[in-house]
Each structure stands twice: as structure tokens, then as C-alpha cells.
Amino acid sequence: MATLNQWVAGSRPRTLPASLVPVVVGTGVAIGVDHAIWWRALLAAFVALVLQIGVNYSNDYSDGIRGTDEDRVGPLRLVGSKVAPPKQVLAAALGCFLAAAVAGLVLAAVTTWWLLLVGAVAILAAWFYTGGKTPYGYRALGEVSVFVFFGLVAVVGTVYVQAEELPWEGWAAAVPVGLLACALLVANNLRDIPTDRESGKRTLAVLLGDRRTRILYAACAALPFMFVLALAAPHPWALIALLAAPLSIPPTQKVLGGASGPALIPVLGETGRLQIAYGVLLAIGLAL
């Protein structure tokens, strides 16, 4: 039986800012258009958080039963490390998906039933990232999915469930948020290039190769600050998000400096802190 600490580690807490930051930014946009509804924002945060934990457990289960996690450098995987039975990890993933579905049902009931379709697609995307016979995460589409669901869908969806409209600021803010979420995945897949290549897992990092993947990470970490400059014309307060720029330097230096294997593990935490700082500051700027 896995311990509580092992279950927490298996949820991959360093990656969880990717689910909460879009909700914070979307709420900042909703405040800016005078339509913030706090209980809906909190419920959206719950949906995003448990959905991502479900994704992480689902990936743990699917990769574990395929054997692609047997020789792993990164954080603990419950199935691959044989500290939890696959059925328990699968049950945890499905439980998270169910909790997200129930909370999403409440949001759909008070806004529009079309949200049920969005939620269903999000859950299917979560499962088939590494699940099923032909997981798209093994076909170099992981970053596309992360950008769509942790950027566009999460930010714009959070705005909509509160404001019940789709202001352009929501779409504009979703792009840099999605890019920072992609940075997390790129760093993770950069670290795993050798083992993923050996196991036949064709991530975008495997296809691009080591050098170009490092450049991609640097771009995902830097471009969000270019979007701040674009947003600053109609929303000058958005410029305060530039205060997060120094946090992008340490992980980018590690990645461009050639860090590999275990040396890349801290990059996940540093990228997460960059996400949080950027998201909170951008949300404040858009709210003001």
C-alpha cells in the first residue's frame, strides 16, 4: 500500500500551478469587466485542480501498465515504482474525473449546458493523453493539448462561468498562460528524452531533439512577457506582470546551459513558481 506522502507525490504537485493559474487569470478578467462571482471561481478552481490530478494519476496508470516508467529519472510514479497496485491508481484517476464532472455539472446548470460538452471533451482528452491504444501524448501532441486545455479552455471558461460573456481580454490572456503550461511539459519531456526514445514514446521533445527542445522551452518562458506588452496598450496595469520576469531566468539558464536528467527536476518547481507569479500579477493587472 502506498503511503499518503507517496499518493501526494504521485499527484505531481509541482505541476499543479498549471491548473490553478488559468482560473486566477480568468477571474482577474472577470473582475475587470465587473462580473466576478467568487463561488463560481472557486468551483472552477476545484474542477481544474481535480481534473489535473486525475490526468496525473491517469498518466501514472497508463504509462505504468505499458512499462514506460520502469526506468524513470523524474518524480515518483506509483505504478512504475510498484508502490501502488494499478487498479488503485486507476480508481483514483476515475474518482478525480467524477468529482470534476459533478462540479462542472453545477457550473453548467447555472450558466449553459454547452459546458457539459466542453467538460466531456476535457475528460476524454485527459484520459487519452496516455490511455487507450493510440495515446496522442505518444504522438507529439501533448503540448498542443496543454495549450488548448490549460490555456484557452481554462482561462476563457473561467471568464465565461462568471461573466457569461467572452471578452477579448480572456482570449488574449489565455495565450501566455497556455505557453507557460507548455513550458512545464517541455521541461518534463526534455528530461525524459532518453527513456522516452528507448520505450518508443514519441513526444514532441523526442521528435525535435535535445537542442531544439531547449530552445522551445526558452521561447515558452519568454513569449508570455511579450504578450504583456501587447495587453498594456488598453490595460496599462498589465505591465506589473513583468515583475515576474526575473523568475524565468534560473530555469531558462539551466535548460539552455545543458542540464539533463536529475538536474532538470528543479526546473519544474521553478517553472511552477514562474507560472504562479506571472498569473497572479497578470490577474491583478487585468482586474485593475
Side-chain angles (χ1 to χ4, degrees):
M1 292 290 292
T3 66
L4 177 60
N5 285 339
Q6 288 172 326
W7 278 105
V8 171
S11 72
R12 307 192 70 186
R14 290 181 179 178
T15 68
L16 297 183
S19 62
L20 295 177
V21 166
V23 178
V24 172
V25 173
T27 300
V29 174
I31 294 172
V33 296
D34 295 322
H35 284 97
I37 302 176
W38 292 105
W39 73 266
R40 294 187 187 183
L42 292 173
L43 201 55
F46 176 79
V47 171
L49 183 61
V50 296
L51 188 58
Q52 188 181 359
I53 293 174
V55 170
N56 291 340
Y57 284 146
S58 173
N59 293 346
D60 191 310
Y61 167 78
S62 297
D63 286 341
I65 62 174
R66 282 192 175 89
T68 55
D69 276 345
E70 291 181 357
D71 183 20
R72 184 171 175 79
V73 177
L76 173 74
R77 285 295 184 99
L78 297 166
V79 176
S81 301
K82 296 180 173 60
V83 299
K87 288 184 178 180
Q88 287 187 3
V89 179
L90 175 60
L94 295 179
C96 288
F97 293 153
L98 178 60
V102 171
L105 181 62
V106 175
L107 288 173
V110 297
T111 53
T112 174
W113 292 108
W114 280 104
L115 283 180
L116 294 180
L117 178 60
V118 176
V121 172
I123 291 174
L124 288 174
W127 172 255
F128 286 106
Y129 177 68
T130 56
K133 293 182 179 179
T134 56
Y136 66 87
Y138 287 18
R139 300 293 183 271
L141 293 173
E143 283 77 6
V144 174
S145 177
V146 164
F147 180 80
V148 170
F149 289 101
F150 289 91
L152 301 180
V153 172
V155 175
V156 175
T158 298
V159 176
Y160 185 79
V161 298
Q162 296 179 73
E164 296 191 42
E165 61 179 88
L166 298 174
W168 70 267
E169 291 92 341
W171 296 98
V175 175
V177 170
L179 287 171
L180 286 175
C182 285
L184 263 179
L185 182 60
V186 172
N188 182 78
N189 289 345
L190 171 64
R191 183 198 64 223
D192 293 341
I193 285 177
T195 54
D196 285 346
R197 183 182 289 124
E198 186 175 343
S199 64
K201 189 174 180 179
R202 299 177 69 244
T203 63
L204 181 61
V206 169
L207 293 184
L208 290 178
D210 185 271
R211 184 178 66 84
R212 283 182 289 186
T213 300
R214 294 177 188 276
I215 294 173
L216 176 61
Y217 174 88
C220 288
L223 285 174
F225 296 100
M226 302 299 103
F227 276 88
V228 168
L229 297 177
L231 281 167
H235 295 282
W237 279 105
L239 288 172
I240 64 174
L242 294 177
L243 295 175
L247 293 177
S248 68
I249 297 174
T252 301
Q253 284 181 330
K254 289 183 178 68
V255 170
L256 294 182
S260 61
L264 282 169
I265 295 176
V267 172
L268 291 178
E270 292 169 345
T271 306
R273 288 190 287 274
L274 169 61
Q275 277 185 299
I276 294 170
Y278 180 92
V280 170
L281 290 170
L282 181 61
I284 293 171
L286 293 174
L288 294 174

